[in-house]
Each structure stands twice: as structure tokens, then as C-alpha cells.
Amino acid sequence: MSSKANKSSTAFADVAAAHLRSVSYGLDSTKVDIPHTGHPGPAASTFNEQSSPVIDQFVSQVIDSSLAVVLADRKGRLTSRNALSSKTRRAMDDRSLDVGFSLAEEHVGTNGVGTSLETRRPAFVVGDQHFLETFHGFTCANAPIIHPISRKVEGTVGVMCPTEETSPLLLPAAIRLSAQISEQLIEQATPEERFLLEQFLRSRRNPRDAVATIGSGVIIASPSAQRELLGVDHNELWSHLQVALRQGSEVETNFEIPASKTLRLRCRPLHRGGEIGGAAIEFVSAPRPRNSRRKPRSPETLGPLVGDSAAWRHVVKQARHAGQVDEPVLIVGERGTGRLSVADAIARQRGAESVDVFSSAEVPVEGAQEWLLRLQGALSSGSTVVLRRIDQLADDVAAAVALMDDQAATASIIATSGKFTSTQPGLSLLLDQLRVLHIEIPPLRERVADIEPLARHFASRRGRQRLSLQVVKALSRQPWPGNATELDQAIRSAIAHARFAPVSVEHLPRQIRSGNGRIPLQGLRQKEADAIVAAIESTATRAEAAELLGISRATLFRRIRTYGLEIPN
């Protein structure tokens, strides 16, 4: 795939992910409430001054168009706007697309400004791909402006136009503007910053090297070095290195991060004008003792669930802590992740003699009054209560639960919920009351390491003590939107089809067998697969889908085969 096509495809995938975030923020696509976060201050004025030569030159080349160029700071607040036609200017005014208004994703959902800042990548948002319906008349291409020295996002620059005038040239134009503004920023750099950048580029022989250069007011680090330096005080590190370098021209030293870890650093002085103007540092991995092997850890078990991932082990640790204290617990996760199983495990660890489960789905059937009376009786009796799917409770019912007379009884409540943000007063009150202990269970697609132990565990419960490697590989390649529940059903179905024979791939459900040849979809690959499906569903032909994604038809068909996507004709 070409570089241009890669950028377009990734941008489309980022839009799909942005919509999920928009929903999780609790935004309403029909409501327009763009906040004005204040006029830009001195820092924004400097940013505008550094960017204006680049933007002015671009505007002069498209003066007769209906384009608009917007600049925003790192928080998504617009700091400048150049609308080249009165029609575009009026449309932007009507939608509060002006200086001082915030287009951060958390405020307005998917849009060029907010999504490019959220992902640190270019964003191309066309018409109804915007989360807010009021923005459906625009196409926006934005690219983040990353400082070439600090590698921090300074803001974003974007090119907008009416949707009917959408052009594939918008995204390359935004990327080019971003690169040119970054060049402007480096021209404004201090002599110390320029010196340390030059030395950093000389020291970084391999993109994966964990190296950095540091001076009295600047530190420039590779991505792997940035991860190591999280939480490090810049001044303390620079003072430590100055002392260490007195011992020689190149030394190794230990730098302690309080309550965290010890960094082993190899450092050398950087001379500038006859004096030490900084230091180049390389992170040294501590050698593992010879013949030392880590013993494989056993999967962590919690009720009927097992797992081996770090995320699952963290859930188990939180659940065991919750089982030792009498406080309300809120367990959040997608359906099928095992929220009820975790709740039951916590209740049993607390030694509960009885557990009463109340589901929001019962309220419409039973009636709110009867349901609340039954809940009040269970709490008054001292029983441990599990409230399922409280995010589905009507606001007045949630308020009644939160305001029950016996407030002390809420310590007996363990609640489960989907991931959401509530703006309703009753539900917000209940969430605040229950969120004393908060456990979030990540979806199974984010815990690929848990698929194998879960599958073997589910098979073992049905009398099958082993699964072949081919079966495990096939299962591990699936996204499992229904999480552990869907995996359990797949194992149950395979065993039923196999009867007394060993379970093999052909016994698995059809949708799993059809995706058996694809590579595991994680990270960007999963996003690209989601983007391909979304593009095909929103267009009439494969050719239109390929054009929307910015790739050729041949590449589209190759991606469909590679990812094992099942797409109807």
C-alpha cells in the first residue's frame, strides 16, 4: 500500500474508533453545545504568528475557492480561521466554528480537529462521518502539528470545505501544512534546542534505540526512551548527570525514580563552545543472570473465568480486594465479559449467605414500584444484592434506589453496568453512590492472551481435557464481540458437533472456520478491518469503497482475503 493510501486508510479507521469514543462520552448527535473556552492567550498568539506565513501562502494559492483553513491549539480550541468565501464563512458562523470555541472530541465527538489531536495522526472526516449532525455539511482534513524537538503536539491545522466539494487532495494539503508549520517551529528554536537536536540525530543510529539528549532546559528522546522517562523530573535528571560526568568522558550511572524503578544510563558529555552544553544518554538493559528462567505463571481464576493477561490479573486483584471490604462495588464492561461472575465471586469472598440478583430488565415486566419494594426488602434483610445493568435503569428508578431510606444498606450492593457517561441526575447520583470501588473488565479482543486459557477451561468443564493447537489458533484469531460468553458458546457448539471425537477446526462454528486463515486482528489491523467493512457498507460498489479508503480495488480485495472478512456480495 502506498504512503498516501496508508494515511487515508488509517484516517478512516481512526474515524470509526472516534465514533465509539463519542458514544462513550455520552454525547447526543442531535444537540449542538460547542463550548467557548476563552480567547487564546499569549502562547496561542505566538503559535499563530509562527504558523501564519505557511497558512497565508496556502490561502494565496486557493483564494477563489470555498475552502477554509483552521488552526487549533493542543486542547482543540480554535486559534485562527481563514474562510475564503462568504458562504463558507456564514456556514461556519452558524455552527460556532470560530476562534475560542473548542472542537475537542469530548465536547463535539468525531471531527477533524479533535480526532487528529486524540490520535496524533491525520484525520479525514467526510460529511456524516462527523458525530454531530450539524457538521454533516462539511468535510475536514486535519493533521497534528508536532514540535520537531520536544515531539509534543502543539496543535492541529486543517482544511475544510462543503461536503459536495470533497477532494482527495484535502488530506495531503493538511499534512503538508503541518510539516511546513513544524519547520517554522524549528526555525524559532533556541541555539540550545538546535544543538541538542543535532546531537540527538547523530546518536540515534536505529529508530528503536532508547536514546536521548538533555540540557538545562530541554530533553529530546526517542519513543522508547520517552517511555522509560515517564515520571522523571527533568531538573533532577540533569543535575544527576552533571555530577556523574565529572568522573569521566563516558560513564554508566544509576538514576533512582522514587517508588518506581532504577534507570541504568550510559552517558557522555556534549561540548558546545568549550563547555558542557548537554549530555547524550543511552538506556542500558540490566543483564539477566545466566541460567535464570522465569517459571510460567498459572492462569488466574475467578469464579468460572480464567485468564493470563496483565489486564485480567489486575481485574482479579481488584475483585479480591473488593471481597475483603464492605463497600459498594461498580463493575463495568461489555456484555459477555463476565461482570456477573465477578460480582458473584466478590459476594462469595465476603461470605454472603445469600445473594439476590436484581436486573434492570425486570422493571418493565414487574413494574417499578413492585421491583423497588422487593429490592428494599432484600437490602433490609441483610442480603447481598447484585444490581445488573444499572445503566439501563430509568432515571426515576435509579434515583429511588439511590435515595432509599437505609443508606447504610448500600454497602451490600454490587452493581454491574456497561461503559457509559450519564447526564441524568438520578442515575448520576446512583453511580456516585456505588462507585466506591470501581472495576473495569476489558473486552476479550483486548485480552488475546486470555482466549486460550478460557477456551481450555470451558472445554474442561464439559469433559474435554485438551484442545488441539489448530483449534486454539483458530479461536485466537477471532474478535469475539460477545466476549467470554460467545467463546463459551463456540466451545459448547464444537463439542456437540464432535460428539465423541476429538474437537477439530471443522467442528467450530462456520464464522470461525471462515476466518481461520486470517492473521490475528489487533491494534491498527483491527481498525483497518473495521474501516473496510464500514466503507463497503456505506457505498454501492467495491470501487467506491476503495476510493473512499484511498486504496486500489486490488488492494481492497487483498485486504479482505488477508483479514478473512466475510462481506456479502
Side-chain angles (χ1 to χ4, degrees):
M1 189 184 292
S2 69
S3 174
K4 177 182 175 182
N6 262 323
K7 289 186 175 72
S8 299
S9 181
T10 302
F12 194 92
D14 285 339
V15 167
H19 272 277
L20 296 178
R21 291 194 296 272
S22 303
V23 173
S24 72
Y25 295 143
L27 299 174
D28 186 336
S29 62
T30 63
K31 293 182 179 179
V32 182
D33 186 20
I34 303 175
H36 189 281
T37 54
H39 287 286
S45 298
T46 303
F47 182 46
N48 286 353
E49 290 173 8
Q50 294 169 334
S51 307
S52 61
V54 174
I55 294 176
D56 290 346
Q57 182 182 12
F58 176 80
V59 167
S60 68
Q61 297 169 350
V62 293
I63 193 67
D64 295 325
S65 71
S66 56
L67 297 179
V69 182
V70 296
L71 190 70
D73 61 20
R74 62 173 63 97
K75 294 182 178 180
R77 177 179 55 184
L78 294 184
T79 61
S80 80
R81 180 191 84 169
N82 283 273
L84 304 182
S85 74
S86 57
K87 179 181 178 181
T88 303
R89 193 158 42 249
R90 285 194 301 272
M92 295 178 74
D93 288 340
D94 291 343
R95 293 160 177 80
S96 300
L97 296 175
D98 204 351
V99 173
F101 286 89
S102 173
L103 296 181
E105 262 193 9
E106 63 195 66
H107 296 144
V108 298
T110 311
N111 74 94
V113 170
T115 301
S116 68
L117 291 173
E118 186 73 28
T119 62
R120 288 177 60 103
R121 287 193 295 267
F124 191 47
V125 187
V126 182
D128 59 8
Q129 292 176 355
H130 288 91
F131 187 78
L132 292 189
E133 293 179 2
T134 189
F135 292 161
H136 286 186
F138 290 106
T139 289
C140 303
N142 278 75
I145 300 168
I146 299 176
H147 198 287
I149 295 177
S150 67
R151 307 307 300 166
K152 293 180 179 178
V153 174
E154 297 293 329
T156 180
V157 62
V159 184
M160 300 172 56
C161 72
T163 303
E164 61 270 18
E165 299 181 25
T166 299
S167 166
L169 299 177
L170 293 181
L171 186 60
I175 294 171
R176 186 168 59 252
L177 284 171
S178 169
Q180 291 172 342
I181 292 173
S182 291
E183 290 175 7
Q184 287 290 113
L185 296 179
I186 201 169
E187 289 180 8
Q188 307 291 330
T190 65
E192 181 189 26
E193 289 174 334
R194 289 171 177 268
F195 170 73
L196 290 176
L197 176 60
E198 180 184 349
Q199 296 299 321
F200 171 76
L201 295 175
R202 290 181 179 178
S203 302
R204 194 184 184 193
R205 295 177 291 274
N206 186 303
R208 287 178 288 187
D209 288 344
V211 296
T213 54
I214 183 172
S216 59
V218 184
I219 184 167
I220 304 172
S222 65
S224 52
Q226 289 175 5
R227 290 192 292 269
E228 295 288 347
L229 290 170
L230 284 174
V232 171
D233 183 277
H234 172 268
N235 292 327
E236 288 184 9
L237 176 58
W238 174 232
S239 298
H240 177 87
L241 293 174
Q242 285 179 302
V243 174
L245 287 172
R246 294 172 188 165
Q247 304 172 23
S249 58
E250 184 170 322
V251 297
E252 289 195 7
T253 180
N254 290 333
F255 180 74
E256 300 280 347
I257 304 178
S260 179
K261 59 184 176 181
T262 299
L263 298 178
R264 183 67 175 169
L265 307 174
R266 182 182 296 119
C267 57
R268 59 181 175 84
L270 299 175
H271 295 281
R272 177 167 167 257
E275 298 181 352
I276 295 180
I281 56 177
E282 180 182 350
F283 292 80
V284 182
S285 298
R288 183 178 291 183
R290 293 184 66 182
N291 300 324
S292 68
R293 294 183 180 178
R294 287 184 180 174
K295 295 182 179 179
R297 298 181 301 181
S298 300
E300 284 280 6
T301 302
L302 187 68
L305 301 174
V306 299
D308 199 31
S309 68
W312 173 250
R313 290 178 183 276
H314 183 61
V315 169
V316 173
K317 181 179 179 181
Q318 289 181 301
R320 288 175 178 164
H321 169 71
Q324 296 171 358
V325 293
D326 270 337
E327 294 289 354
V329 185
L330 178 62
I331 303 168
V332 176
E334 294 180 2
R335 287 192 178 188
T337 50
R339 297 171 297 186
L340 185 59
S341 296
V342 173
D344 184 66
I346 292 171
R348 292 184 183 281
Q349 190 177 350
R350 289 181 175 181
E353 295 182 2
S354 62
V355 179
D356 290 324
V357 179
F358 289 76
S359 174
S360 59
E362 300 166 342
V363 177
V365 178
E366 188 175 344
Q369 186 172 358
E370 289 297 322
W371 189 85
L372 288 168
L373 286 172
R374 191 161 58 86
L375 174 62
Q376 179 72 66
L379 290 172
S380 301
S381 70
S383 173
T384 295
V385 168
V386 174
L387 286 179
R388 296 189 67 191
R389 302 173 187 168
I390 62 168
D391 52 313
Q392 303 298 319
L393 284 174
D395 195 53
D396 56 342
V397 177
V401 175
L403 298 174
M404 281 183 173
D405 291 336
D406 189 2
Q407 293 296 320
T410 58
S412 302
I413 293 180
I414 303 171
T416 72
S417 169
K419 193 173 182 180
F420 77 113
T421 302
S422 174
T423 56
Q424 297 178 301
L427 194 50
S428 296
L429 180 63
L430 179 59
L431 284 172
D432 290 341
Q433 193 167 306
L434 296 177
R435 202 186 280 123
V436 177
L437 296 174
H438 183 271
I439 300 173
E440 184 168 336
I441 309 174
L444 192 55
R445 62 181 173 274
E446 296 178 8
R447 300 184 283 120
V448 178
D450 293 342
I451 294 175
E452 179 178 354
L454 267 174
R456 296 190 185 280
H457 178 68
F458 292 149
S460 176
R461 288 198 309 174
R462 294 181 171 86
R464 299 300 178 103
Q465 299 305 314
R466 65 180 300 275
L467 292 174
S468 70
L469 183 60
Q470 290 76 15
V471 169
V472 170
K473 284 183 177 180
L475 296 172
S476 298
R477 292 185 177 114
Q478 303 307 308
W480 299 114
N483 295 293
T485 299
E486 184 185 3
L487 175 60
D488 189 19
Q489 291 170 347
I491 295 295
R492 181 179 179 182
S493 172
I495 291 174
H497 281 90
R499 302 187 69 183
F500 301 109
V503 175
S504 62
V505 172
E506 56 262 28
H507 297 130
L508 294 172
R510 181 184 59 82
Q511 67 271 22
I512 297 176
R513 297 198 308 272
S514 61
N516 189 32
R518 78 183 191 190
I519 57 177
L521 298 186
Q522 301 176 45
L524 288 178
R525 284 173 173 165
Q526 181 65 59
K527 288 182 179 180
E528 185 175 32
D530 293 343
I532 288 171
V533 173
I536 290 174
E537 289 178 348
S538 62
T539 53
T541 66
R542 297 289 192 272
E544 290 179 5
E547 184 179 356
L548 184 60
L549 291 165
I551 59 179
S552 67
R553 286 180 73 244
T555 299
L556 175 62
F557 281 105
R558 188 164 57 251
R559 285 288 186 270
I560 291 173
R561 288 195 303 271
T562 300
Y563 294 157
L565 301 178
E566 288 191 54
I567 297 174
N569 293 324

